[in-house]
C-alpha cells in the first residue's frame, strides 16, 4: 500500500450521531491498525479506559496542572460522539489508539510573543465552534487563564448551508449528515467542501496553526511506527490542513519552545444538558437528548414513533391525557411537514410542531414545560472505581457512597433530620461542599433551616463542580481537609466582626474543627479590639444560632456562648453612642441589625445579667435626646416586646413622642421604628392604638399627605386579614357592629338593605351583593 493511501482522514462533527454512524461503517471497511484522534497528546494513556464496561457516558477527560489546579480543561464525550465510538471500535478490534493534538500542558502555558510581537493564542472560554467541529470540545471548556481564541473561521457550515438553500447550518448538517438514510461517501465530500472554504477564509491564528502542526507531526510519527492503514478522526475543518504537504522543518519551527510541564489527567462525570451549546458549550449540539435518540434509533425505521411515545410518557406523567389516536395524528403531521420541506426524515422541529398542534392544542407554552427534559435530558455519567481520579474527586465519591447520595443532573428535594446519623452526615457533606464553592445542594429556606433540627435542600449536580474540586486541591487532598484549609484562609482575610461570626458559623455547621478553633480565636481577638457597635450586633445572630442548635451538630457550644455573652454586653454599652445622628440609610441598617441581634438574644435565652445589660443599653438609647428617632422607636419596641416597658408606659411614651409639639418627621420616624414589622400590636393594644389614632387625627392635611408613604410602609408588614382586623378594631371591635352603624329603629327596610351592603366594605369583607 502506498504511503499516501495508508492514511485515511475522517472529518467529523463533535457529538454528531450521524457522523458516528458513518465513521463506524468507514472503520469496518478500512480496518486500520491505528486510530488517531484529535485530543491532548499527553492523555493518550487514558483513551482505552473509555471502553471499560463500567464507564458510562457522558464523561469528560479532565486535565489540570498539579501546581496550578485552577488551570483545567475538559474534553466531553457522549455515547453518540464519533470519537467515543472510534475508541470503542479500536479497543474491540485491537487497534492502537493515540491522541494527536497539542498536549494539555501547552494549552495552559502563558502566551509567548511571536517575532511580530503578537502573542500566541491559547484556548479560552469564549471560543466558538460551528457544526463541522472545526474546533475541538476542549477549546470551549478550558478554564486556563488565557486570552480567548478569535473567531477567525467564520461559519463554514453556515456557508455550505446557504449555498444549498438552507437558512441555517444546523438544519443542513442534520439532513446531509446526521439524518441522511443513505449518506454515501460523506467524508470525501466534506473534505472537498472544507478545502474550498479554507481557501477563501481568513488566515489561521498562531495557536491554531500550532495545533495543526502538532497533529501533522503526530500523524507522521504514526506512519513510521505502524505498518498498515491508519485512521485519523478529527474535526472536519482540520482535514485539509492535516492532508497538506508541509515541510517538517516548518512545523518544527512552529512548535519550538513548547512547555515541558506534565499535566495531570483523569476522567470525570459529565451531564447530558452540558453537551448543549445552549448551555455555553461551543462544540455542543442543539439537543443532546435528540442526538442520543438518533444514535439509539440509527438502525431502526420507527424513530419518529419512539420519540412521540417518549413525549406522551412525559405528558402523561404530568397528568395530561394523551390518546393513541392523537399520537397517530401527530406522526402523520410530522411526516407531512418533512415531505413539504424536502427533508429526508422528520426532525425534532417537525415533531415538535406536530406535537404542539396535535397533542397540546396549539399551545407552545405547554411544550416549553417539557422540552428541556426531552431535548436536553438529565443523565449523568459514571466513572469506574479503578480510574485514577483527582484526590478530591475520589474523596467526594467515597463521601457520596457513605451518605447514600447520588449525583443527578436534575433538581431533587432532600429533607434531613439532623438528629439522625444519616441526616447529620448528609448535611455535613453538603455544607462542606458549600465552603468549597461546590453548591451541589442549596438550602431552600436558609434562614429557617439553620435554626432548627431539620434542613430542606434542593440538589442538582453540575459537571463544572469537578473543576471547582480540582481547583481546591491547593487547600487539601480530602473534602474535610480542603474545606478546613479554605475556611481558615477566608478567616484570615475577614475584615469585620460580623463576617468572622458568619465564617465561624459555617465552620461549626460543616463540622470543621480546625477552622472553628481558628475562627473562635480570631473572633475573640477581633471582639476585644472592636468598637464598632453594628459589627458586634451583626455577629450576634449567627453565633446565637450556632450556640442554640450546636447540640444538633455535636459541637462544644460552651466557649462560643461565653464569647457571645461578652459581645452582647459590649454591644449594649456601645448602643447609646452608635445611635446618634444617623442619616436615613444608616439608621435603617442599624435598626435591622438591632432587631436581628434581639432575635439572637431571645434564641439563646440569655441569663438575667446579660438581659439586664441589653435592656439598659436600649433604655439609654430611648432616653437620650441625641438618638436618631428611628433607632429610639426601635429601642422602645424591643423593650416593650421583652416586657421591660409596660403597656401603659408604652402608650404614654407614644403619646409624648407623637405629641403636636414634636416635628412630624421625627414623630413619623419614631412611629416607624416602633411599629415597623410589628404593626399587629395595634390590633390588640387599645392604648397604643389610641395614641396613634390621636396623633394621626391631629396632623395637618398637608403634613399627613407628605408622610403618607412612610405611614404606609409602617403597616406594610400586615397581611390582608390583619388589616381587616385592624379596621374592625378601629371601627369598634371584631365580631360586633360599630355603634355608628347600628340602624335606627324606624329606618325602614330600604335602609336595612343599604346597611347590609355597606357593612362588609366598612369592616373589610366584600359583599356578594
Amino acid at each position: 500500500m502506498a504511503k499516501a493511501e495508508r492514511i485515511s482522514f475522517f472529518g467529523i462533527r463533535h457529538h454528531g450521531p450521524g457522523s458516528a454512524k458513518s465513521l463506524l461503517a468507514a472503520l469496518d471497511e478500512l480496518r486500520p491498525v491505528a486510530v488517531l484522534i484529535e485530543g491532548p497528546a499527553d492523555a493518550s494513556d487514558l483513551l482505552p479506559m473509555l471502553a471499560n464496561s463500567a464507564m458510562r457516558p457522558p464523561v469528560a477527560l479532565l486535565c489540570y496542572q498539579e501546581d496550578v489546579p485552577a488551570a483545567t480543561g475538559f474534553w466531553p464525550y457522549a455515547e453518540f460522539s464519533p470519537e467515543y465510538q472510534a475508541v470503542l471500535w479500536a479497543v474491540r478490534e485491537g487497534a492502537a489508539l493515540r491522541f494527536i493534538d497539542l498536549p494539555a500542558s501547552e494549552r495552559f502555558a502563558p502566551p509567548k510573543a511571536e517575532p511580530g510581537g503578537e502573542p500566541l493564542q491559547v484556548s479560552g472560554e469564549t471560543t466558538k465552534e460551528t457544526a463541522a467541529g472545526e474546533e475541538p470540545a476542549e477549546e470551549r471548556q478550558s478554564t486556563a487563564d488565557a486570552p480567548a481564541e478569535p473567531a477567525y473561521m467564520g461559519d463554514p457550515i453556515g456557508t455550505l448551508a446557504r449555498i444549498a438553500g438552507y437558512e441555517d447550518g444546523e438544519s443542513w448538517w442534520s439532513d446531509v449528515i446526521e439524518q441522511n438514510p443513505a449518506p454515501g461517501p460523506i467524508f470525501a465530500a466534506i473534505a472537498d467542501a472544507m478545502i474550498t472554504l479554507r481557501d477563501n477564509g481568513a488566515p489561521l491564528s498562531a495557536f491554531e496553526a500550532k495545533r495543526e502542526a502538532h497533529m501533522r507531526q503526530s500523524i507522521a510519527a504514526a506512519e513510521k511506527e505502524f505498518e498498515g492503514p491508519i485512521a485519523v478522526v478529527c474535526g472536519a475543518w482540520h482535514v485539509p490542513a492535516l492532508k497538506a504537504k508541509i515541510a517538517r522543518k516548518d512545523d518544527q519551527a512552529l512548535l519550538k519552545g513548547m512547555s515541558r510541564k506534565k499535566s495531570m489527567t483523569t476522567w470525570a462525570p459529565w451531564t447530558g444538558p452540558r453537551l448543549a451549546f445552549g448551555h455555553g458549550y461551543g462544540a455542543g449540539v442543539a439537543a443532546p437528548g435528540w442526538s442520543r435518540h438518533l444514535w439509539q434509533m440509527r438502525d431502526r425505521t420507527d424513530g419518529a414513533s419512539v420519540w412521540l411515545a417518549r413525549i406522551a410518557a412525559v405528558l402523561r406523567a404530568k397528568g395530561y391525557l394523551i390518546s393513541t389516536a392523537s399520537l397517530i395524528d401527530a406522526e402523520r403531521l410530522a411526516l407531512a411537514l418533512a415531505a413539504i420541506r424536502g427533508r429526508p426524515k422528520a426532525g425534532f422541529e417537525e415533531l415538535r410542531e406536530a406535537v404542539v398542534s396535535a397533542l397540546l392544542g396549539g399551545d407552545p407554552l405547554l411544550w416549553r414545560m417539557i422540552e428541556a427534559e426531552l431535548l436536553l435530558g438529565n443523565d449523568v455519567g459514571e466513572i469506574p472505581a479503578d480510574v485514577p481520579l483527582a484526590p478530591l474527586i475520589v474523596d467526594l465519591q467515597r463521601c457520596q457512597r457513605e451518605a447514600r447520595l447520588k449525583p443527578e443532573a436534575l433538581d431533587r428535594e432532600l429533607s434531613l433530620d439532623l438528629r439522625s446519623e444519616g441526616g447529620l452526615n448528609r448535611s455535613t457533606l453538603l455544607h462542606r461542599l458549600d465552603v468549597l464553592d461546590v453548591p451541589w445542594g442549596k438550602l431552600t429556606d436558609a434562614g429557617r433551616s439553620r435554626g432548627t433540627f431539620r434542613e430542606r435542600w434542593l440538589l442538582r449536580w453540575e459537571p463544572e463542580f469537578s473543576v471547582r474540586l480540582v481547583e481546591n486541591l491547593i487547600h487539601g487532598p480530602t473534602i474535610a481537609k480542603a474545606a478546613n484549609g479554605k475556611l481558615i484562609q477566608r478567616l484570615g482575610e475577614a475584615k469585620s466582626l460580623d463576617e468572622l461570626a458568619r465564617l465561624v458559623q459555617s465552620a461549626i455547621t460543616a463540622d470543621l474543627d480546625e477552622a472553628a478553633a481558628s475562627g473562635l480565636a480570631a473572633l475573640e481577638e477581633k471582639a476585644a479590639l472592636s468598637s464598632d457597635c453594628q459589627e458586634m450586633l451583626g455577629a450576634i445572630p449567627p453565633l446565637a444560632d450556632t450556640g442554640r442548635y450546636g447540640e444538633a451538630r455535636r459541637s462544644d457550644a460552651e466557649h462560643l456562648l461565653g464569647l457571645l455573652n461578652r459581645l452582647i454586653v459590649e454591644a449594649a454599652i456601645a448602643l447609646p453612642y452608635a445611635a446618634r445622628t444617623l442619616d436615613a440609610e444608616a439608621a435603617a441598617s442599624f435598626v435591622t441589625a438591632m432587631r436581628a441581634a434581639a432575635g439572637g438574644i431571645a434564641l439563646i435565652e440569655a441569663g438575667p445579667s446579660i438581659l439586664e445589660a441589653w435592656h439598659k443599653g436600649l433604655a439609654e438609647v430611648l432616653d437620650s435626646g441625641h438618638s436618631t428617632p428611628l433607632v429610639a422607636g426601635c429601642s422602645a419596641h424591643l423593650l416593650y416586646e421583652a416586657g421591660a416597658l409596660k403597656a401603659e408606659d408604652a402608650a404614654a411614651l407614644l403619646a409624648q413622642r407623637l405629641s403636636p409639639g414634636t416635628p412630624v418627621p421625627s414623630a413619623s420616624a419614631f412611629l416607624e421604628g416602633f411599629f415597623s414589622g410589628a404593626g399587629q400590636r395595634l390590633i390588640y393594644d387599645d392604648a397604643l392604638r389610641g395614641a396613634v389614632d390621636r396623633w394621626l387625627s391631629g396632623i395637618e392635611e398637608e403634613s399627613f399627605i407628605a408622610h403618607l408613604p412612610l405611614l404606609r410602609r409602617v403597616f406594610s408588614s400586615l397581611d390582608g386579614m390583619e388589616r381587616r382586623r385592624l379596621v374592625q378594631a378601629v371601627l369598634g371591635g371584631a365580631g360586633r357592629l360599630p355603634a355608628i352603624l347600628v340602624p335606627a329603629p324606624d329606618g325602614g327596610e330600604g335602609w336595612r338593605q343599604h346597611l347590609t351592603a355597606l357593612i362588609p366594605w366598612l369592616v373589610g369583607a366584600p359583599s356578594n351583593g
Side-chain angles (χ1 to χ4, degrees), residues 165-325:
Y166 284 74
E167 293 184 1
D168 62 277
E170 281 291 322
S171 299
W172 179 82
W173 186 269
S174 179
D175 285 357
V176 175
I177 307 298
E178 307 301 348
Q179 298 186 75
N180 194 335
I186 63 167
F187 293 112
I190 291 173
D192 291 341
M194 292 301 159
I195 290 173
T196 303
L197 290 174
R198 289 189 67 138
D199 288 344
N200 294 280
L204 290 177
S205 72
F207 178 72
E208 193 65 19
K210 193 173 183 179
R211 286 184 60 210
E212 294 182 341
H214 191 279
M215 286 192 273
R216 284 191 295 267
Q217 293 272 40
S218 299
I219 294 169
E223 281 183 325
K224 295 180 180 179
E225 182 179 356
F226 301 107
E227 293 292 335
I230 296 172
V232 177
V233 180
C234 62
W237 177 260
H238 297 298
V239 170
L242 302 189
K243 295 176 71 173
K245 302 298 181 183
I246 307 294
R248 178 180 175 82
K249 62 181 180 61
D250 293 337
D251 281 345
Q252 289 176 331
L254 283 174
L255 298 173
K256 187 177 180 180
M258 282 179 54
S259 171
R260 296 182 180 274
K261 252 183 187 178
K262 181 173 176 58
S263 294
M264 306 296 291
T265 56
T266 185
W267 293 103
W270 205 248
T271 68
R274 300 303 261 180
L275 292 166
F277 58 65
H279 279 235
Y281 180 16
V285 290
W290 173 254
S291 295
R292 183 182 181 187
H293 168 75
L294 288 179
W295 173 253
Q296 294 172 342
M297 298 291 110
R298 61 190 181 278
D299 297 322
R300 295 174 56 172
T301 59
D302 59 344
S305 300
V306 173
W307 183 251
L308 288 171
R310 289 179 181 174
I311 294 175
V314 172
L315 287 171
R316 286 166 180 162
K318 294 184 181 297
Y320 291 91
L321 298 176
I322 305 297
S323 68
T324 303

Side-chain angles (χ1 to χ4, degrees), residues 43-53 55 87-88 91 95 97 267:
S44 292
D45 292 345
L46 294 184
L47 268 174
M49 294 181 184
L50 276 177
N52 189 319
S53 59
M55 182 81 78
V87 170
L88 297 187
V91 172
L97 268 172
W267 293 103

